[in-house]
Amino acid sequence: MTVDWTISKQSASNEGFSLVAVLWIGLAITAILAPLTIAARTHTAHVSSLYQTDRLNYLAEGIASILVAQQRERKSNQTAANAVPENSTLQGCRSGKVMALYLLQSHAGLVNINRASSGALEAALVALGMGQGNAQDLSRKIIAHRSFSSADNGKSKEGFSGGPKSAPLEAISELYDIAEMGNTPYRDLHRTFTVRAAANTLSLTVAPKHLKDAAQRFSGLNGTSAHTADPSSTPVTVSVVVRRGALTGQFNGIFATKTGGGLGDQLVESWRYDEPASDDEGNIFGNCSATFGPEFGRILNEFG
């Protein structure tokens, strides 16, 4: 029997070529699809991270509301000894994989930028780390910025964004209208100044540490405020950070008693991404269920 080896060799050669061609096509498709697959996975992970961060942001806002409600209730029941300190003392708790950091700051312990004297403003600016010369200049500019004058044409507009306001400031952020204040972090402004306090001097019993330290050196800050309003009606800033692994949720807000009094509070200003805590967390952590109640502890565990 005679075998046509020429035909057999040609057939094997064709099959080999087809196999190589299929492999090359497969590699080409993989090369095209691999970046798309990686990009899709990266996008999915990014979207998931944003979703989890949003959840933590809302959780931080919920914790802030609970803190304020608990604080008002304790004060109304005259159990303030068990209340959270309102002088920016860092507190915290854990529940499962979730960690919450929070602090409260009464506005009775802050410097009222609309009422404070030049000396008090200067001391507060030095407490923020400014040199005394710059602090003196800025204190004069703050007073010029807030002061009404019927002769605005005679005022120097240099150093102001759009000129002096010539009226009380309505928000701390308006300090940025003064050019030299532009490098001061928003967080530092909020932990030093207020536009909502009822007094023109601060109460040292609820002042943050940097202002208490400054009060020992400057007479403008030294002493106890003449603030006589009910402490439960004083606005309070609440800052909360919630962490789960590498993800962080944040909330900062100012709460004030609703018109008509009572325990109800309303959020009058809020901002995020202004973390109140340092990496030095110390031994401040208790159990969140003990701090906020077992039901809230259960909610935190669901995030873990």
Side-chain angles (χ1 to χ4, degrees), residues 67-271:
L67 278 169
V68 173
Q70 286 183 338
Q71 198 79 340
R72 298 294 191 220
E73 184 176 0
R74 285 165 177 160
K75 288 181 178 180
S76 67
N77 294 332
Q78 297 183 340
T79 57
N82 298 322
V84 177
E86 293 190 351
N87 59 357
S88 293
T89 299
L90 184 64
Q91 307 282 301
C93 69
R94 293 181 187 274
S95 185
K97 296 180 181 179
V98 177
M99 176 177 67
L101 298 168
Y102 51 92
L103 58 83
L104 275 62
Q105 177 58 59
S106 169
H107 283 227
L110 301 176
V111 175
N112 190 324
I113 56 176
N114 287 320
R115 300 185 180 186
S117 66
S118 176
L121 291 171
E122 178 186 336
L125 292 166
V126 171
L128 282 177
M130 296 184 184
Q132 194 158 355
N134 288 338
Q136 287 178 345
D137 180 59
L138 280 173
S139 68
R140 288 192 293 266
K141 285 190 175 182
I142 290 173
I143 291 175
H145 192 43
R146 76 189 188 192
S147 300
F148 173 77
S149 172
S150 59
D152 281 345
N153 290 335
K155 277 189 176 182
S156 171
K157 298 183 182 296
E158 185 179 354
F160 297 98
S161 175
K165 185 177 182 182
S166 300
L169 277 63
E170 299 169 74
I172 297 300
S173 58
E174 290 184 44
L175 283 173
Y176 287 132
D177 290 337
I178 302 173
E180 291 92 330
M181 297 296 296
N183 294 326
T184 306
Y186 197 46
R187 174 187 63 191
D188 290 347
L189 293 182
H190 270 284
R191 63 194 282 264
T192 304
F193 298 108
T194 179
V195 296
R196 303 179 188 279
N200 60 357
T201 55
L202 75 164
S203 172
L204 295 181
T205 58
V206 289
K209 185 179 183 302
H210 70 295
L211 288 179
K212 283 183 180 179
D213 291 343
Q216 297 176 1
R217 297 183 292 148
F218 298 95
S219 59
L221 290 177
N222 198 4
T224 302
S225 167
H227 183 72
T228 57
D230 181 355
S232 64
S233 66
T234 304
V236 61
T237 296
V238 185
S239 297
V240 180
V241 171
V242 181
R243 292 179 183 149
R244 184 188 182 280
L247 297 177
T248 299
Q250 303 181 39
F251 176 82
N252 301 268
I254 298 173
F255 290 83
T257 302
K258 290 180 181 177
T259 303
L263 293 178
D265 293 277
Q266 62 179 345
L267 180 64
V268 295
E269 184 180 349
S270 66
W271 61 99

Side-chain angles (χ1 to χ4, degrees), residues 54-75:
D54 279 343
R55 291 183 71 208
L56 292 176
N57 284 334
Y58 287 120
L59 179 60
E61 183 174 353
I63 291 175
S65 298
I66 289 174
L67 278 169
V68 173
Q70 286 183 338
Q71 198 79 340
R72 298 294 191 220
E73 184 176 0
R74 285 165 177 160
K75 288 181 178 180

Side-chain angles (χ1 to χ4, degrees), residues 38-39 232 262 265 278 283:
I38 293 172
S232 64
D265 293 277
S278 67
N283 297 314

